[in-house]
Amino acid sequence: MAFPPSVRLVEVGPRDGLQNEPEAIATETKLELIDRLGAAGLAHIEAASFVSPKWVPQMADHHEVMTGLRRREGIVYSALTPNLKGLEAALECGVEEVAVFGAASETFSRKNINCSVAESLERFAPVLERAREANVRVRGYVSCVLGCPYEGEIASAKVAEVAKALHDMGCYEISLGDTIGTGTPLKAKRMLEAVARDVPLTRLAAHFHDTYGQALANLYAVLEEGVAVIDSSVAGLGGCPYAKGASGNVASEDVVYLLNGLGIQSGIDLDQLAATGHWITQAIGRPNRSKVGVALAAK
């Protein structure tokens, strides 16, 4: 297949990128980050997570974030809602899109959300039903699609099974996550082929981590297959909790630079995005993990 003419980036920095930060980040800083990302051309920003503050204290201000953000026309501001309670809280904030989070690994599912993969899907059913009633779109995440920190290799057939279940349940899009970043281009391509037999390619997104430095190569491989939605995080925010000190999310700046080089439209101003990455890493005292961002800052 040929490369898609355009790609939609789903910016996960404000949620996935910040959720494991040990020091509290001011709500105002989060709101400014979201606004700067919107100004740079990001049309889909995952802004918050409606989970218990007991488990993810960094996301305790989800209500303040979702009600305090300056909504720009044409931008989707979404939130993670793992259960019905989280969804109801998000609906009170006027959320227009939410996401649920499953896994292709039984062990990961049990350790991460304390239930089997099948049980997690059962839990999502009422969330999808309530979201439909509220006319809110639901995005589905599948983690560990190219490897698990506990089980190692994950069969592509299992990834396809979970992705299909989420799609059949009503998720309009399925984001395939290489949670520990161990994937390689050929593995990524074969996994995608397996999933695309059960879920239309136009409903699939790539969420690749860069722990082993393979994220851009893996993205190139799935772009060749026609994937047109990519999850990324400004400045590469978000480490990999299963590999101490390792990088996590692929940097949005690096993805945009790759897309620009391939002649693929994204609608994103790279210089403005890189400036945002430089600003947020300075604000929270973190290194900038975007190679493109660092290079542009050096200029």
Side-chain angles (χ1 to χ4, degrees):
M1 289 183 68
F3 293 118
S6 64
V7 160
R8 171 167 57 90
L9 254 67
V10 176
E11 173 58 54
V12 300
R15 196 279 300 176
D16 195 12
L18 298 181
Q19 66 181 2
N20 290 319
E21 284 294 314
E23 301 299 324
I25 298 170
T27 302
E28 292 72 23
T29 301
K30 295 175 184 177
L31 290 171
E32 184 170 351
L33 171 61
I34 293 164
D35 196 54
R36 285 180 181 236
L37 290 167
L42 274 304
H44 191 147
I45 302 169
E46 195 173 66
S49 179
F50 284 79
V51 293
S52 168
K54 176 184 174 184
W55 301 113
V56 189
Q58 190 63 255
M59 294 287 115
D61 60 349
H62 44 232
H63 183 274
E64 290 79 6
V65 169
M66 290 306 297
T67 56
L69 54 83
R70 182 159 71 94
R71 293 180 180 272
R72 293 174 180 266
E73 191 176 347
I75 298 180
V76 173
Y77 300 95
S78 64
L80 189 70
T81 56
N83 51 42
L84 201 51
K85 183 180 179 182
L87 174 62
E88 293 293 356
L91 291 176
E92 288 175 14
C93 299
V95 74
E96 57 204 295
E97 179 176 316
V98 298
V100 293
F101 198 101
S105 159
E106 286 291 344
T107 309
F108 185 89
S109 182
R110 290 186 182 282
K111 287 183 177 288
N112 199 42
I113 53 178
N114 201 31
C115 66
S116 70
V117 171
E119 287 167 339
S120 74
L121 293 170
E122 286 174 15
R123 288 182 187 178
F124 296 150
V127 177
L128 269 290
E129 187 178 338
R130 177 71 182 96
R132 261 194 303 273
E133 291 172 3
N135 200 29
V136 165
R137 298 199 307 175
V138 182
R139 193 171 194 249
Y141 282 103
V142 184
S143 57
C144 299
V145 301
L146 291 172
C148 170
Y150 311 109
E151 295 181 13
E153 292 286 322
I154 295 294
S156 294
K158 184 64 177 178
V159 180
E161 178 188 320
V162 178
K164 182 179 188 301
L166 287 169
H167 182 254
D168 290 350
M169 202 178 286
C171 291
Y172 82 95
E173 186 169 275
I174 311 299
S175 177
L176 303 169
D178 182 12
T179 310
I180 55 173
T182 55
T184 53
L186 186 58
K187 281 171 66 176
K189 195 171 282 196
R190 285 178 174 163
M191 178 274 297
L192 180 70
E193 288 168 352
V195 177
R197 284 194 282 269
D198 290 321
V199 180
L201 192 66
T202 53
R203 299 293 185 93
L204 298 176
H207 183 117
F208 294 164
H209 284 212
D210 201 35
T211 314
Y212 282 71
Q214 300 293 297
L216 288 179
N218 295 341
L219 287 174
Y220 186 96
V222 298
L223 282 167
E224 274 192 314
E225 297 298 305
V227 164
V229 185
I230 293 172
D231 297 1
S232 60
S233 176
V234 63
L237 290 175
C240 178
Y242 309 101
K244 193 172 174 64
S247 59
N249 294 296
V250 66
S252 301
E253 301 92 315
D254 298 358
V255 175
V256 173
Y257 188 80
L258 171 67
L259 296 176
N260 288 351
L262 294 171
I264 298 173
Q265 299 298 313
S266 69
I268 296 165
D269 183 319
L270 178 57
D271 288 331
Q272 206 168 345
L273 178 62
T276 300
H278 180 72
W279 169 79
I280 187 61
T281 50
Q282 295 284 307
I284 66 173
R286 282 289 180 186
N288 191 335
R289 286 196 167 116
S290 164
K291 286 185 168 59
V292 170
V294 170
L296 289 175
K299 280 187 175 181

